[in-house]
Every structure is written in structure tokens, then in C-alpha cells.
């Protein structure tokens, strides 16, 4: 099975930063916007899946942003010796500026 490359999380991060660049600090605070840098997202994801052994995995991301953490989670799962046969992502985002990019990330992950 082909999995996303490390560049995938960087791409999601870059898209998210571009989409939210025009926001003021107060708007970012009101939305709870913080784009997690790819290196931190990968660290968090590896810690979250450490020791996991399952044929199916479900991931809930209540503040998906541009999809950096979702991509990092799939990347981390791909590093496991027992790669899951099925990965389900349930992603929520309230900032409409991020939805198109998030959908592109999801489609790229689904096509892998």
C-alpha cells in the first residue's frame, strides 16, 4: 500500500498557513487557529500510535485545520510493522477558508 510522504504534512501546513495568513491575531484566537508544524505533528502522531496493533483504526480530529495532524497520523501508522488494513478519518473544521484544502488532503489520503 502506498502511503503519504513526509512532504504531505508540509504541503497541508503550507496550505493552511496560506489560507489563514489574512487573519488577525484576535480572529485566530476566536477560531482557536494554530497550524501545527509538521515536525510536531509527526512527533505527536508517532507517540499516539506507538504499540498499536489493529486491522482498523478510527481517528477523530475535532479541529482539523488544514489536515496536518491527519496526514501525520496516517504517516505514523504507515511506519508500524502491522499497517492497518483500514483507516477511517473523521475530521471537523469550522473555518470555511480551510475546507477546500482539507478536502484535497482527504482525497489524496484516500487515493493512496
Amino acid at each position: 500500500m502506498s502511503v503519504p510522504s513526509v512532504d504531505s504534512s508540509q504541503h497541508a501546513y503550507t496550505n493552511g498557513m496560506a489560507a489563514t495568513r489574512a487573519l488577525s491575531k484576535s480572529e485566530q484566537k476566536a477560531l482557536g487557529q494554530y497550524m501545527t508544524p509538521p515536525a510536531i505533528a509527526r512527533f505527536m502522531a508517532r507517540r499516539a500510535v506507538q504499540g498499536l496493533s489493529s486491522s482498523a483504526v478510527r481517528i477523530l480530529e475535532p479541529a482539523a485545520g488544514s489536515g496536518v495532524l491527519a496526514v501525520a497520523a496516517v504517516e505514523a501508522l504507515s511506519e508500524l510493522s502491522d499497517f492497518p488494513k483500514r483507516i477511517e478519518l473523521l475530521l471537523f473544521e469550522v473555518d470555511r477558508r480551510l475546507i477546500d484544502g482539507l478536502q484535497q488532503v482527504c482525497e489524496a489520503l484516500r487515493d493512496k
Side-chain angles (χ1 to χ4, degrees):
M1 174 178 204
S2 178
V3 295
S5 68
V6 172
D7 292 337
S8 298
S9 57
Q10 181 63 47
H11 180 73
Y13 177 75
T14 302
N15 285 347
M17 292 300 290
T20 59
R21 187 170 288 126
L23 292 176
S24 69
K25 294 291 181 189
S26 62
E27 288 174 309
Q28 285 179 319
K29 184 176 181 179
L31 288 169
Q33 285 287 6
Y34 177 74
M35 295 297 148
T36 307
I40 293 172
R42 287 190 293 270
F43 174 79
M44 292 168 55
R46 286 183 185 124
R47 294 287 305 248
V49 305
Q50 194 171 35
L52 182 71
S53 178
S54 179
S55 63
V57 175
R58 290 184 181 157
I59 298 170
L60 169 64
E61 172 56 283
S66 59
V68 176
L69 287 170
V71 172
V74 174
E75 289 172 347
L77 289 166
S78 74
E79 295 170 0
L80 297 175
S81 59
D82 187 17
F83 186 77
K85 290 180 173 56
R86 181 175 178 85
I87 300 171
E88 295 179 20
L89 299 174
L90 183 56
L91 309 176
F92 293 92
E93 180 50 55
V94 297
D95 188 344
R96 295 196 182 278
R97 290 170 282 226
L98 296 170
I99 299 300
D100 287 342
L102 186 58
Q103 285 179 317
Q104 291 173 5
V105 166
C106 290
E107 289 168 8
L109 288 173
R110 183 180 54 231
D111 292 342
K112 296 289 179 183

